[in-house]
Amino acid sequence: MVTRHKLFENILLKNVNQEGESAMPWLTDRDLGAIQNYVDMTRARADLKGLRMEVETDPWAFHDFLQAQEHTHGVPTTHNPATTDVRPGNFFWLQLRHGSEIVACHAQRWVETRNLIELVRTHSVFMDLTPTLDHQRVDLYPEAAELFIAGRIGIGGGFWIRKDWRGRG
C-alpha cells in the first residue's frame, strides 16, 4: 500500500482533464508506487538538511525563475514554453526550498514518440513550437543511428543549485 503525500497528489490532481481522466494514464499502480517511494526517499533526505520539496506544473513560472538567476545558461529549449510544447500534463518542476527561498530546482517533461533520435535530429525535441527553414545538423555519434528509443520518454533539464548551496552533499 502506497501512502501519497501532498506533493505527489498535487502532480496528479493538477494533471486531470475536464473528464476527470489522468493526463498520465500510462502510469501503472506499480509505476506510481515506485515514483512515490523515490519521492519519499528524496523528501526524507531534504528534511534532514532543513529543506522542503515542492512541485509546480507551470512552465512559465519555471522559465521566469530560471531566467532571473545569475550564472545560468538560461532556460533549456527542451523545457522553454516559448519554443517547446510544455504545459501542465507533460511538464513539472521540482523545487527545494529553504524557508521561502528556492535553493535548487529541476524540470521534467514527457514526450511520446516513435523515434526519439529523429526528434533530436530534426530539432523537434528542442523547438517544436518554432519550426525553422534553416536546419542545423546535429552530429550524433555513429552508433546513435542504430538506436531506437520510442514510447513515453522523460526528459530532464534546467537543473540549478544556488551558488551558496552547492557542495553541501
Side-chain angles (χ1 to χ4, degrees):
M1 182 77 172
V2 175
T3 303
R4 292 198 173 115
H5 292 286
K6 288 289 180 198
L7 172 76
F8 195 54
E9 287 174 5
N10 285 339
I11 293 174
L12 294 177
L13 292 175
K14 288 182 180 180
N15 292 311
V16 172
N17 65 23
Q18 290 177 340
E19 290 78 36
E21 299 167 334
S22 171
M24 299 182 280
W26 56 83
L27 295 177
T28 66
D29 285 342
R30 184 176 178 183
D31 294 335
L32 293 172
I35 292 168
Q36 186 61 53
N37 288 339
Y38 182 78
V39 167
D40 291 344
M41 179 184 67
T42 304
R43 178 180 258 163
R45 270 194 77 136
D47 287 346
L48 292 174
K49 297 185 179 292
L51 299 170
R52 178 175 87 256
M53 193 165 59
E54 294 185 3
V55 67
E56 171 66 55
T57 61
D58 179 0
W60 283 104
F62 171 72
H63 172 278
D64 295 347
F65 174 79
L66 206 53
Q67 283 293 101
Q69 305 314 305
E70 294 182 17
H71 311 294
T72 71
H73 297 286
V75 181
T77 56
T78 53
H79 294 76
N80 188 336
T83 59
T84 306
D85 180 25
V86 288
R87 60 196 170 335
N90 76 350
F91 172 91
F92 71 91
W93 63 298
L94 291 175
Q95 308 160 6
L96 281 179
R97 290 182 173 264
H98 185 255
S100 63
E101 295 185 19
I102 298 173
V103 297
C105 70
H106 184 258
Q108 287 288 325
R109 73 176 279 215
W110 289 274
V111 296
E112 188 164 358
T113 181
R114 289 186 256 165
N115 189 336
L116 180 64
I117 300 302
E118 191 63 19
L119 289 183
V120 172
R121 280 186 2 83
T122 62
H123 298 263
S124 295
V125 75
F126 305 107
M127 299 180 301
D128 58 356
L129 293 180
T130 54
T132 181
L133 296 175
D134 301 314
H135 178 75
Q136 299 292 318
R137 181 177 155 165
V138 175
D139 289 321
L140 301 172
Y141 58 93
E143 296 82 9
E146 299 171 19
L147 291 176
F148 182 74
I149 303 170
R152 293 173 192 97
I153 300 164
I155 300 171
F159 182 69
W160 173 84
I161 300 174
R162 199 171 75 187
K163 189 174 184 176
D164 60 323
W165 278 84
R166 296 176 191 164
R168 293 189 181 195

